[in-house]
Amino acid sequence: MHLSPALSRIAASQTTAMTDRAIQLREEGRDIISLSVGEPDFATPPHVIAAAKAALDAGDTKYTAVGGTLALKKAAALHFARDLGIEVLPSQITVSAGGKQAIFHALLATIGEGDEVVIPAPWWVSYPEIVRFAGGKVVPLHTHAQHGFQFTAADLEAQIGPRTLWVLLNSPGNPTGACTSAETLHGIADVLRRHPRVMVLSDDIYAPINYTGGPHATLANLHPDLADRILTISGVSKSHAMTGFRIGVAAGPQWLIQAMERLQSHSTGNPCSISQAAAAAAFEGPQDFLIDWRERFRARRDLVVAAINAMPGLSTPVPDGAFYCMVDAAPLMDRFGDDAALALHLLEHGVAVVPASAFGGRDGFRISFAADEAKLAEACRRIAKAVA
Ligand code: GLU
């Protein structure tokens, strides 16, 4: 066995590992409710499926341009303008195999040895691992449940130093569901103006799933003068229940888009041609069902939050967006040792969740409530029994 120093710096994704484990146990005949992966259970909309079939029938089965078809880039430009208020040309957009690949390529294409990346924690599992793989240094910006996992612009500025290259923003956030307000983003814009080297990767993949009632706030919309330092990530996986299609889109300065495509030209090449046709249909087709889906997520959120907060030893704030809640289980750690042991214990009781430590947190676990109410209610009953 020979592993590169870069690979030795990172672990496998714990969200996908826990999901694989749940699938394996199910295949062995165990009754497991998987609340580990962030994946909407809704069926992919019929017009999207029809577009994928039409692409197959039309023979769209060959290479496309590495960074995506012009048709999809135009559809993505429509999406960025309509849904995020970001005006970009197709040449400022690239398409990748999921938002994860866009993040991977952006960081790999820019980070030099020792460059620092500030990441609000708890964070999505892959952010720090990608930074470490690229040779960068992760600078955590710790947030806490009692403050709704929020941070201020001053908190952020305190983490910025001469080696800071990127700040990662993720709102609505995975795994906390926290949303960054326009007011905080105005403060962040002021910080950025004082630190001209720093770029922002704004992961807006959960933008349509926002329960605050207000509009989605994002930096490139609020401060277009900073747009040449912002890469905004979006996609169809979470919004349109298209996780398996693997399509993410990124909008940013042309030099960065070209750098990402240069890397992509040597890794996967173009994203799947059929998926690209489906994603274009998702961006261009009806969007009204997203409101219904969001309200169904809200009902599920309320069910899970109420059930968890009624269990002795467990608590969670109410997430403002996405479909996750970060459960604090600190009072149970005397019994279980650590959150990985607790997650295994819950798995034994038939519920797969991801330990908080996977997200740079501790003493808790993340629940993905993108499952139907009956499953969520049964999962909560099992969790209550497991920790009683
Ligand atoms: N982003 C989702 C999650 O956090 C999908 C799995 C992954 O790529 O991490 O569960």
Side-chain angles (χ1 to χ4, degrees):
M1 186 163 95
H2 182 91
L3 299 179
S4 73
L7 192 77
S8 305
R9 288 195 288 268
I10 68 170
S13 163
Q14 289 199 55
T15 47
T16 51
M18 191 51 111
T19 308
D20 288 354
R21 180 84 187 115
I23 292 170
Q24 189 191 350
L25 286 173
R26 270 204 212 117
E27 283 169 355
E28 289 167 12
R30 296 273 307 275
D31 170 22
I32 303 288
I33 300 176
S34 180
L35 306 182
S36 53
V37 76
E39 175 168 68
D41 59 318
F42 304 133
T44 307
H47 67 278
V48 172
I49 301 291
K53 287 181 179 164
L56 270 172
D57 290 340
D60 280 354
T61 53
K62 303 285 171 26
Y63 291 133
T64 72
V66 165
T69 61
L70 184 59
L72 178 52
K73 288 190 178 193
K74 282 184 178 166
L78 169 81
H79 156 69
F80 277 111
R82 178 192 60 210
D83 305 324
L84 302 176
I86 301 172
E87 299 289 342
V88 277
L89 299 168
S91 58
Q92 294 167 297
I93 292 174
T94 189
V95 184
S96 50
K100 182 162 15 188
Q101 190 184 37
I103 298 167
F104 198 88
H105 286 167
L107 296 177
L108 234 70
T110 52
I111 290 177
E113 205 64 35
D115 279 334
E116 293 180 3
V117 180
V118 181
I119 317 180
W123 47 46
W124 174 51
V125 281
S126 293
Y127 296 145
E129 302 297 69
I130 297 171
V131 170
R132 287 189 199 109
F133 185 75
K137 185 174 165 221
V138 174
V139 178
L141 169 52
H142 291 290
T143 66
H144 304 281
Q146 64 267 35
H147 302 128
F149 296 108
Q150 297 291 335
F151 62 89
T152 65
D155 297 333
L156 172 66
E157 191 160 25
Q159 304 307 99
I160 292 179
R163 294 301 312 265
T164 308
L165 186 67
W166 284 100
V167 168
L168 296 199
L169 300 178
N170 175 214
S171 172
N174 176 2
T176 65
C179 292
T180 309
S181 67
E183 198 190 340
T184 302
L185 290 173
H186 293 321
I188 291 174
D190 290 338
V191 170
L192 288 172
R193 292 191 183 99
R194 286 194 285 277
H195 300 275
R197 178 177 192 256
V198 177
M199 297 184 286
V200 171
L201 191 153
S202 179
D203 184 351
D204 290 30
I205 194 84
Y206 297 99
I209 310 162
N210 178 331
Y211 314 113
T212 62
H216 172 68
T218 191
L219 204 56
N221 162 255
L222 294 172
H223 295 275
D225 60 305
L226 295 171
D228 61 351
R229 293 156 65 187
I230 302 169
L231 184 72
T232 306
I233 307 287
S234 189
V236 287
S237 296
K238 313 293 182 178
S239 57
H240 290 70
M242 291 174 64
T243 43
F245 283 84
R246 307 311 301 134
I247 292 292
V249 291
Q254 229 155 24
W255 69 266
L256 181 56
I257 296 300
Q258 284 167 3
M260 291 162 68
E261 291 186 356
R262 200 198 303 180
L263 192 50
Q264 187 156 305
S265 76
H266 293 295
S267 56
T268 52
N270 66 269
C272 169
S273 54
I274 299 146
S275 297
Q276 288 190 65
F283 286 141
E284 286 170 347
Q287 308 292 314
D288 46 336
F289 67 92
L290 298 180
I291 296 171
D292 174 51
W293 283 11
R294 184 192 64 206
E295 292 313 306
R296 288 167 71 184
F297 282 134
R298 186 200 298 275
R300 295 160 174 201
R301 173 196 71 167
D302 294 345
L303 182 161
V304 170
V305 167
I308 291 291
N309 284 328
M311 295 177 203
L314 297 185
S315 61
T316 177
V318 183
D320 275 336
F323 35 66
Y324 306 108
C325 52
M326 198 58 176
V327 178
D328 178 74
L332 302 182
M333 286 303 118
D334 282 351
R335 270 171 61 204
F336 291 100
D338 61 25
D339 57 11
L342 173 58
L344 282 179
H345 178 76
L346 295 179
L347 194 57
E348 282 306 309
H349 282 76
V351 184
V353 296
V354 185
S357 46
F359 306 99
R362 53 180 298 189
D363 301 346
F365 54 90
R366 184 192 78 172
I367 287 180
S368 165
F369 52 80
D372 69 52
E373 266 98 335
K375 271 203 190 110
L376 290 171
E378 172 58 17
C380 289
R381 272 192 291 276
R382 291 181 189 182
I383 294 172
K385 200 168 156 218
V387 301

